[in-house]
Amino acid sequence: DYAPVSEVDDVGDSTDDDAPVELATADRDYLANWLNPVYLESNALTKLRDSFCEESSVQLHSFLRSDLAASVMATTMADDMTDELGADNAAGVNYEAGVRGGWRLVGPVHKQ
C-alpha cells in the first residue's frame, strides 16, 4: 500500500539548489513511523541537503524516534549479552555472533 517513490510536493526545478526540500504527504506519514519528527520538516531537510552538498556527508543525531531507538538499543544490548559481546568480554571476537533465527554467514569475515 505504500509506494516508496512518490512525487514530491512543489519543490520547483530539480536543478534549483536553493529550492526548499518538501516531502510528499504519503512519504512524511510513512516516515513518521520511524524517524524523529525534526527530520521530516522542510527546513531541516533543506539544511541537511545543503550540508551534504558542501561536505559530502552529514551526521544525523537522534535520527530514529526516541521510543523506537530505545527499543532497538534494548534489543541489541540483550543480543550482545547473549553473544557475550562488549567491553566486559575478554574472550575475544566471536565471528558467529548474531547467527541465529534464519541468519547465516556469507562471504569472508571482513566483508560481512
Side-chain angles (χ1 to χ4, degrees):
D1 43 297
Y2 173 76
V5 178
S6 62
E7 296 297 319
V8 292
D9 295 335
D10 192 34
V11 294
D13 188 327
S14 62
T15 61
D16 184 0
D17 291 339
D18 295 327
V21 178
E22 295 285 344
L23 291 175
T25 301
D27 293 336
R28 188 179 310 106
D29 291 346
Y30 179 78
L31 293 171
N33 292 306
W34 309 100
L35 304 184
N36 182 333
V38 72
Y39 290 111
L40 303 176
E41 296 173 9
S42 177
N43 62 341
L45 291 170
T46 302
K47 287 178 184 178
L48 286 169
R49 185 232 11 232
D50 294 346
S51 179
F52 185 79
C53 287
E54 286 287 322
E55 305 293 329
S56 299
S57 67
V58 292
Q59 290 185 5
L60 305 175
H61 301 276
S62 301
F63 182 64
L64 296 175
R65 283 187 3 211
S66 59
D67 60 323
L68 180 61
S71 176
V72 169
M73 178 67 83
T75 301
T76 55
M77 289 179 71
D79 285 349
D80 284 354
M81 289 191 66
T82 298
D83 291 332
E84 299 178 342
L85 299 175
D88 296 335
N89 182 21
V93 178
N94 176 1
Y95 291 106
E96 293 186 10
V99 180
R100 62 180 166 274
W103 291 94
R104 62 184 177 89
L105 298 176
V106 176
V109 173
H110 69 285
K111 292 188 176 184
Q112 293 176 11

